[in-house]
Amino acid sequence: KAGVTQTPRYLIKTRGQQVTLSCSPISGHRSVSWYQQTPGQGLQFLFEYFSETQRNKGNFPGRFSGRQFSNSRSEMNVSTLELGDSALYLCASSLVGQGTDTQYFGPGTRLTVL
Amino acid sequence: KQEVTQIPAALSVPEGENLVLNCSFTDSAIYNLQWFRQDPGKGLTSLLLIQSSQREQTSGRLNASLDKSSGRSTLYIAASQPGDSATYLCAVRVSGNTPLVFGKGTRLSVIA
């Protein structure tokens, strides 16, 4: 069974640009969550999608957005990039995303903003 | 607001030693607690999940305990091996439909 895949794995952008990251969940999983990981703040929750609907949202500015498609694949977009957006962006999928459901993480996308 | 703290931030031990990683959380009203492992350049792997009604969970050489009243969990690793070197993260779910809240992790190095 294929794991969670994220593309691209590495990305370099300049301030002011926008970026789109992609996440393909494990087959059959309907919940996709996104996290930002930095050395200073650790892992912070961005948002969760379930059946194409945003179910939970973290405390990030509106420049961060996401969506989920009917096949459960998800994308997140960051507009008007800032230096502080440099981070490892992790995607996690699970069957329903609640309760005791185990989250399976992808390898992440390393975003560097210059 | 739930906050999760892991101390120490880094730990180095010789191979074969038994060790304990600590996790504390500010609000004892949790739904469950999970321990994850993260290898450099990779995502997280779930190790153990403890429901709020449970006191401990075991998997192989790993044992996780939960004391809700004191807001603490420990991950015990027996007979550590170099392959155990990784960052270990603790995460709490406040209720069944809320996202995980993570600590910043403990980076473990097991020296051969």
Side-chain angles (χ1 to χ4, degrees), chain B residues 22 34 61 70:
Chain B
N22 296 297
Q34 287 186 258
R61 294 183 294 109
S70 65

Side-chain angles (χ1 to χ4, degrees), chain A:
Chain A
K1 197 173 189 181
V4 178
T5 58
Q6 293 187 244
T7 56
R9 292 293 311 278
Y10 302 91
L11 207 48
I12 299 175
K13 292 286 188 179
T14 57
R15 278 182 300 173
Q17 287 187 310
Q18 75 165 15
V19 66
T20 299
L21 311 182
S22 180
C23 172
S24 292
I26 291 172
S27 178
H29 285 190
R30 295 164 62 192
S31 168
V32 174
S33 297
W34 288 90
Y35 296 85
Q36 180 195 66
Q37 187 176 31
T38 60
Q41 298 298 319
L43 262 160
Q44 293 187 290
F45 173 76
L46 281 157
F47 28 67
E48 182 217 355
Y49 286 87
F50 179 78
S51 293
E52 302 179 65
T53 301
Q54 188 180 84
R55 187 161 63 180
N56 280 301
K57 187 177 188 303
N59 189 26
F60 277 80
R63 300 185 297 106
F64 292 81
S65 62
R67 60 178 175 169
Q68 186 181 34
F69 303 94
S70 58
N71 61 358
S72 292
R73 189 177 70 86
S74 178
E75 289 181 346
M76 67 163 281
N77 183 276
V78 187
S79 62
T80 318
L81 284 165
E82 301 177 358
L83 295 178
D85 297 333
S86 295
L88 180 67
Y89 290 87
L90 292 164
C91 158
S93 80
S94 60
L95 284 170
V96 294
Q98 295 184 341
T100 60
D101 210 15
T102 297
Q103 288 193 319
Y104 295 84
F105 283 78
T109 294
R110 172 74 64 183
L111 171 64
T112 301
V113 182
L114 303 176

Side-chain angles (χ1 to χ4, degrees), chain B residues 26-41:
Chain B
T26 53
D27 188 343
S28 62
I30 64 170
Y31 184 80
N32 62 33
L33 182 145
Q34 287 186 258
W35 283 92
F36 291 86
R37 167 185 172 140
Q38 184 175 27
D39 293 283

